[in-house]
Amino acid sequence: MPTPLDTPAATAADMPPHALWRGDRVHKRVYTDPAIFELEMDRVFGQAWLYVGHESQVPRTGDYFTTRLGREPVVMLRHSDGEVHVLYNRCPHKGAKIVPDGSGSAGKFLRCLYHGWTFKCDGSLLSVPLRSGYEDTSLDLKDPQNGVRRLARVATYRGFVFASMAAEGPSLPDFLGGVATSLDNFCDRAPEGEVEVAGGVQRVIQRNNWKIFFENLHDTVHAVATHESSWRAAKEEYASMPEGTPKPFEIVIVDGNGEPLEFWEKLELKGYDGGHGYMEGIFTPPQDPVSLAYVAALEASQGATRADEILRVNRHNTIVYPSCSPHTSFQQIRVIRPLAVDRTLVEIFTFRLKGAPDSTFQRALKYTNVVNSPSSNVMPDDLEAYNRVQEGLGSDGGDWVSLQRAAGRDQSLPGGCSSNGNSEMPMRNMFRAWAGYMAPKGQA
């Protein structure tokens, strides 16, 4: 008798998720089957709250920022009432994109370049050329449905804008759960309590399934092996410096990957309902003039006690599943845009802490360039590993991927669980959420 895994790709929609995910292992098809990828666009990215952008990217009326959520091209705009709206980037007349890809200002209203239909920045229809030509036709220009379609739900948390294509579901705070504290700390680190996107964006197209990237964010065991060439070079460079030389920031953030496995095992990982989670920080900036000036600014604004509370929250990568990864300590967010079953776009945005010295922002840019840019000494290691995984999974060398490290040892906590740093709990936690999204209707 055929098993669910023998089901042809064309009928993958009827496959129960437990046929592909068994708690401590997952079938390779979840990374390689185009039909499953298409289902993810509908069931995962079509239901979850997805990160769109930050309010600071549209500071004035008419400012826009385009992106994509799952398969859908969308545009985030600032309306005349000050509210931020997220619309499908499509004119309701002939379907042309309302604004070009990128960011800019549409002025006081949106105007489609094809036939000149105009819309307010909340998407509502403003005017139509030759309006009289539609009299006594089936097109009712007074019908709100003839405006630019809005995303079903849009909400903001501390300036971070999320949208969902599903009309029903948990509120954004309920969706975020325990990882909302990472976004809080991201903003609390600013002396003025607010952050803003600055310094442009770096984009990387990876030759791998989007889930492989997410899994790696909390995979501590890979660091010492995958990044050996960069961390070893950093350690050798520091060893060549005169004795007593303070360790430069660039070396601090690279040679940390060379810590022994015992170091990583002592870190704490937390996983929350919905596939979210975070990893305890692996290093802090050196106590040099840049750090001291920043701490002084934070203490001047918040007081020494509160500043200490804020800075004691030391986290590396946070996962807001399934769309982004904030890094609170170095003011960046990586946004995941799946393109195909084996192609993923990752966008890296750096933020400025309002009220902090400019040197703090320059250090954040340095972190992005040294660690996460495509031309760094670190990211290419990961990209090569991701691609090898993707290609290996396409072979006949085996059907199942292990998620078994430290299985059964997780500790319960409100809304989730915790584990030691070498556990594959985060991967199991993400697939638990994935299975919930992917279950056929009536089987969730």
Side-chain angles (χ1 to χ4, degrees), residues 186-206:
F186 198 118
C187 298
D188 291 344
R189 284 173 172 262
E192 296 180 11
E194 294 182 351
V195 299
E196 59 184 355
V197 174
V201 57
Q202 297 196 45
R203 293 185 173 90
V204 184
I205 293 183
Q206 304 178 352

